[in-house]
Amino acid sequence: EPEVTQTPSHQVTQMGQEVILRCVPISNHLYFYWYRQILGQKVEFLVSFYNNEISEKSEIFDDQFSVERPDGSNFTLKIRSTKLEDSAMYFCASTPRGGRNSGANVLTFGAGSRLTVL
Amino acid sequence: DAKTTQPPSMDCAEGRAANLPCNHSTISGNEYVYWYRQIHSQGPQYIIHGLKNNETNEMASLIITEDRKSSTLILPHATLRDTAVYYCIVRVLEYGNKLVFGAGTILRVKS
């Protein structure tokens, strides 16, 4: 079964450093998402991306965050200057494009990247 | 997207059916009911979705009441590996539409 692949699985960084989290969505998917989950809290939407631009972003997704699809396969989340409160699991997800009644609007999530900011 | 209400936790004996309820009394006519689960901080996993008819797949069954104000996810023979947080999410089937997760129900399957 096709998978969304995320790397690294765990990254430890110092406060103020830049971090890039990488995702390889499922190959025929066209919508991409980032979510985060702080330990013990809800899964929170960060941003959605389609046709090389941001479709929607949450209040969490401020100027220190950016997303990019640098080539035909990768989808990245960059955190410019990490803070302690950025420590969380970050999940990438993707979904295909299909007809309204096709039932294909299912987000498939990756296993996540755990970010620890010290 | 309509708000959902789920019990914070439930227990189920291994091998028995797990019935997870969800209330969505303000659901709109074009909103679907989706169920996802998250096993121990892994990525959320899609289970099933439906509009108004009952649905069944290899993982679970979804029963939606006739007025669509509530639904029940049924895991017919729960195993220890079904211990997870289960999320009931109501949303319009529109491509690019995000999922909004609530707190979900922690299901503990016990031997």
Side-chain angles (χ1 to χ4, degrees):
Chain A
E1 189 170 323
E3 290 184 341
V4 174
T5 305
Q6 290 187 240
T7 54
S9 57
H10 188 192
Q11 181 156 355
V12 181
T13 191
Q14 295 292 324
M15 191 169 55
Q17 295 296 303
E18 177 182 284
V19 161
I20 297 176
L21 305 178
R22 292 181 169 78
C23 170
V24 179
I26 294 172
S27 63
N28 65 344
H29 285 192
L30 297 178
Y31 291 93
F32 313 115
Y33 310 79
W34 283 102
Y35 284 77
R36 81 171 185 189
Q37 186 175 33
I38 295 170
L39 187 63
Q41 298 187 22
K42 297 178 187 178
V43 178
E44 301 173 289
F45 168 76
L46 292 178
V47 66
S48 59
F49 190 87
Y50 171 71
N51 199 25
N52 282 322
E53 59 184 30
I54 290 173
S55 304
E56 185 178 357
K57 60 183 181 179
S58 71
E59 291 179 354
I60 303 167
F61 194 87
D62 61 22
D63 290 344
Q64 70 157 344
F65 291 95
S66 62
V67 288
E68 193 177 35
R69 189 155 162 82
D71 53 42
S73 61
N74 289 288
F75 178 51
T76 62
L77 174 69
K78 182 191 290 185
I79 308 174
R80 199 179 338 273
S81 177
T82 51
K83 305 171 191 167
L84 295 176
E85 53 265 36
D86 294 327
S87 294
M89 283 289 289
Y90 288 82
F91 297 108
C92 174
S94 67
T95 190
R97 179 171 175 79
R100 181 171 291 276
N101 296 316
S102 72
N105 193 19
V106 168
L107 272 69
T108 301
F109 286 81
S113 293
R114 179 174 299 283
L115 176 64
T116 302
V117 182
L118 302 177
Chain B
D1 292 341
K3 184 176 176 180
T4 62
T5 304
Q6 299 178 251
S9 66
M10 294 181 64
D11 290 341
C12 177
E14 189 178 20
R16 305 297 293 266
N19 296 285
L20 292 98
C22 179
N23 285 319
H24 31 80
S25 59
T26 60
I27 192 169
S28 300
N30 63 345
E31 289 180 313
Y32 285 67
V33 180
Y34 286 78
W35 283 84
Y36 277 73
R37 73 180 182 182
Q38 186 178 26
I39 298 172
H40 189 46
S41 295
Q42 297 177 20
Q45 177 190 23
Y46 167 78
I47 301 172
I48 199 167
H49 76 288
L51 182 62
K52 52 185 177 182
N53 298 321
N54 297 338
E55 302 287 344
T56 296
N57 64 19
E58 65 279 3
M59 289 182 69
S61 294
L62 173 60
I63 309 297
I64 302 174
T65 58
E66 196 167 334
D67 63 8
R68 303 209 322 123
K69 292 184 177 182
S70 66
S71 60
T72 301
L73 178 74
I74 301 172
L75 308 179
H77 305 286
T79 70
L80 298 178
R81 288 180 296 178
D82 292 320
T83 293
V85 181
Y86 287 78
Y87 301 100
C88 170
I89 300 168
V90 171
R91 75 198 258 260
V92 174
L93 199 159
E94 188 175 295
Y95 288 90
N97 196 6
K98 64 183 182 292
L99 288 169
V100 178
F101 290 87
T105 296
I106 300 171
L107 175 68
R108 299 184 188 90
V109 181
K110 300 184 176 181
S111 58

